[in-house]
Amino acid sequence: MSEPIIKALDVAWIRLGAPDLDVAETFLTDFGLLRQVRTSDALYMRGTGEAHHLHITQRGPDRVLGIGFLAESEADLHRLAARAAGASGVMPLNEPGGGKVVRLKEHNGFTIEVVHGVASVAKLPERHSVMNTGAARERLGVFQRIDARPSQVKRMGHAVLSTPDIEASVAWAHRHLGFVVSEHVHAEDDPDLLLASFNRADRGDEFVDHHIMMFGRHQRAGLNHISYEVQDIDDLHAGHDWLKSQGHHHLWGIGRHLLGSQIFDYWKDPWGRVHEHWTDTDVLNAAMPARKVPRSQGLRSQWGPQAPQEFRDAASV
Ligand SMILES: [Fe+2]
């Protein structure tokens, strides 16, 4: 395999179009994001981490407009602009948070925004539950009380694309963003038929999330879902109850994935785009080779419900 042009550090944001910013903000606030900036035509939502924003909604048709990834340096943006087929030049991001961007088209034509130099902001206070488990008592003389409230999103975790030509999609992500395979899922009776590809950032010895970009084989190309990390399992359950109480569309959960091991919960926004909450991911580093597993040992929940067809068919464009 050819050397990657750059190694992207992390996922940065999703950029979606929506015809009504009030409706979008209501859903995203109930989901646990916080308004950073709202202009007359766009909404920028943050989490409790240092990223200026993790979610952008632009007023307009309900479209997937781009997935953002962080580059390590501005030099990486210039490398991509020079070497990636169809890349834009290095351009200023003329929006809150600033920074610079190179826009690429991935294999199915979705826009990938590789960014550097976007402003960071001060972290916000976070609520973490201290658990007394069978192994250790760590909450001593303190009552556990969970308010009725949205989750507290910390950061963006990953993006997942449905794609008919999964091999080409994976190759594109490896070549342009430097991702490496954590686990590949193949058909039960055909080890050469790739069904799903979980890819992480290549940061050497540093442990990173099990996947930052995943691909699932599907007849339609589209955004299957985007995913945000919440604080812990109490925070995830509190957020679930809150979203339900506000009448939002629940899709799948609560459960624990097999691959990646996250405790998950999936919701649709008012235009059907799937937004995931998760907590407690596996983290891997360069010492851990890619694994290959059959479908029965990959695409299932360890506990909680199995994926409904509506989730498997999600492919927003
Ligand atoms: Fe996910």
Side-chain angles (χ1 to χ4, degrees), residues 158 160 211 225 227 257 266 276 278:
H158 57 259
V160 178
H211 55 278
H225 70 270
S227 191
H257 289 310
Y266 290 89
E276 179 188 13
W278 65 254

Side-chain angles (χ1 to χ4, degrees), residues 291-311:
R291 295 175 68 239
K292 205 174 165 186
V293 298
R295 191 180 198 292
S296 62
Q297 293 171 45
L299 301 181
R300 66 176 182 85
S301 303
Q302 301 190 73
W303 52 256
Q306 302 302 324
Q309 194 65 39
E310 186 182 359
F311 172 79

Side-chain angles (χ1 to χ4, degrees), residues 42-231:
L43 170 66
Y44 300 82
M45 301 291 282
R46 66 169 291 181
T48 57
E50 291 178 348
H52 184 277
H53 52 271
L54 309 170
H55 194 295
I56 305 163
T57 308
Q58 295 183 187
R59 189 191 303 280
D62 58 328
R63 296 273 184 279
V64 177
L65 301 174
I67 304 170
F69 291 96
L70 294 178
E72 190 170 13
S73 65
E74 193 173 325
D76 276 357
L77 300 189
H78 287 282
R79 246 188 296 281
L80 275 172
R83 293 179 54 192
S88 72
V90 177
M91 302 181 298
L93 274 159
N94 292 317
E95 61 185 357
K100 293 189 175 173
V101 62
V102 172
R103 291 196 171 89
L104 312 173
K105 294 286 186 195
E106 59 75 58
H107 176 68
N108 290 299
F110 290 101
T111 299
I112 302 295
E113 302 181 328
V114 184
V115 303
H116 182 75
V118 180
S120 52
V121 290
K123 283 184 189 174
L124 297 174
E126 295 174 344
R127 295 172 297 241
H128 298 120
S129 284
V130 179
M131 302 277 182
N132 286 333
T133 69
R137 297 281 190 265
E138 294 183 352
R139 194 180 70 257
L140 305 174
V142 176
F143 300 109
Q144 191 78 295
R145 296 290 181 270
I146 314 296
D147 298 333
R149 54 170 175 76
S151 293
Q152 256 194 334
V153 168
K154 185 183 185 77
R155 54 183 281 269
M156 189 168 177
H158 57 259
V160 178
L161 291 177
S162 299
T163 174
D165 188 352
I166 189 170
E167 291 85 359
S169 288
V170 173
W172 188 93
H174 289 190
R175 162 99 176 122
H176 293 84
L177 300 170
F179 299 152
V180 294
V181 174
S182 291
E183 307 203 63
H184 267 179
V185 180
H186 58 79
E188 211 64 27
D189 52 0
D190 183 356
D192 294 324
L193 179 57
L194 180 63
L195 298 181
S197 172
F198 294 76
N199 299 273
R200 67 178 185 274
D202 179 2
R203 293 171 69 164
D205 293 336
E206 185 183 340
F207 283 92
V208 298
D209 289 2
H210 176 273
H211 55 278
I212 187 176
M213 195 173 199
M214 184 200 154
F215 300 94
R217 184 185 292 279
H218 197 274
Q219 64 269 30
R220 286 191 305 135
L223 180 73
N224 177 263
H225 70 270
I226 45 172
S227 191
Y228 290 88
E229 181 176 7
V230 300
Q231 306 296 333

